[in-house]
Every structure is written in structure tokens, then in C-alpha cells.
Amino acid sequence: VHSALMLPNPVGLSELLAGSAQLDSEGTLQTLEIPNLTVITSGVSVDNPYELLDPARFGPLVTQMRQQFDAIVIDTPPVLRTGDALKMCGAADAVLFVIESGKTDTRQATWAKRLLQNVGARVSGVILNRAISDTEEYYYYYGAAGRRKEARSA
């Protein structure tokens, strides 16, 4: 997330969970030009991220964040790559299951869904990203028709 948003990453979730930083520590909560958006980056990489995500550490941190924020979005690694996502989703009110088009096959998606169910994740929806539409011409036509209609009524 920090790379995509071009944010510095010296203090973040790793430091919060390790106890070397607090939510009110300088640099922990980063704001952007987008109103009402605050970001906590991952922080410095650690050798034991799975241990840091112990529910006894992560749960209280999420509880503390809920007192400060209306909504909390947690971006996790893929479910099948590490156990991190499975540990984190237990503290989430809802989980959006992201599937990459053309890369995640049905067997992988089914297995990941089963893993999420096994830890009690509340899957609220699925996002299919990087999908390529065969109907690109339809959208172009639809947009062109909309422009013509606006031109007629002007």
C-alpha cells in the first residue's frame, strides 16, 4: 500500500504489533489529500510476521482503531500465499475476497474460500480484478450514445 500511495514506511503495523510504536506515535497514522483517509503502512519487514499477528496482539489493536475510525480496511497478502490473511480476517467485520482474473483457477479459489470459512471469516463479497472485457465495443457504443443524446438536448 505504501508503494502505491507513495508513502514513507518507517513506522507501521509491524511496529504497532511489536509494541515499539503506538497509534499516536509520530508517523504511524499518515494522511493523504483524500479527505477522511488515514493510512497505516506495513512498517519495516520483520522475520516473524505470523507471530506478530497473534490475535492477542492484533485484536486489541483493531479494537483501539475502531474507537478512532468509522471504517477500517485491511489489505492482506493472498490467502494461499501465507497464513497472515487468515489470522487478520478474524478481527474483521467483513471480508472481500479478491480473485485475479486469468491467474486464480477455480480449484485455488475454492480452497481459499474453504480456508476463510474454516477460520470464521465473514465473506461479504468477491472482487474479480484485472478482468479484460470482451464487450469493450459495447461500452464504447453506450458512451457514444450517451454523448449524442446530450448533444441533442442542448
Side-chain angles (χ1 to χ4, degrees), residues 11 13 30 40 69 101 115 117 121 143 152:
V11 180
L13 185 61
Q30 299 187 51
I40 299 174
F69 301 101
S101 177
L115 291 173
Q117 288 172 331
R152 275 190 229 145

Side-chain angles (χ1 to χ4, degrees), residues 135-150:
T135 57
E136 197 172 286
E137 291 178 16
Y138 169 78
Y139 291 113
Y140 174 77
Y141 175 78
Y142 180 79
R147 281 193 298 272
R148 274 190 244 123
K149 186 174 181 181
E150 289 172 14

Side-chain angles (χ1 to χ4, degrees), residues 87-152:
K87 279 192 152 187
M88 296 171 89
C89 70
D93 294 329
V95 172
L96 292 175
F97 185 31
V98 180
I99 298 172
E100 186 172 346
S101 177
K103 187 171 182 182
T104 308
D105 64 34
T106 304
R107 184 180 46 81
Q108 292 171 318
T110 302
W111 180 247
K113 180 182 171 221
R114 185 172 298 130
L115 291 173
L116 289 167
Q117 288 172 331
N118 288 346
V119 298
R122 293 168 291 277
V123 178
S124 297
V126 178
I127 297 172
L128 180 64
N129 69 2
R130 300 184 191 213
I132 299 172
S133 173
D134 292 345
T135 57
E136 197 172 286
E137 291 178 16
Y138 169 78
Y139 291 113
Y140 174 77
Y141 175 78
Y142 180 79
R147 281 193 298 272
R148 274 190 244 123
K149 186 174 181 181
E150 289 172 14
R152 275 190 229 145

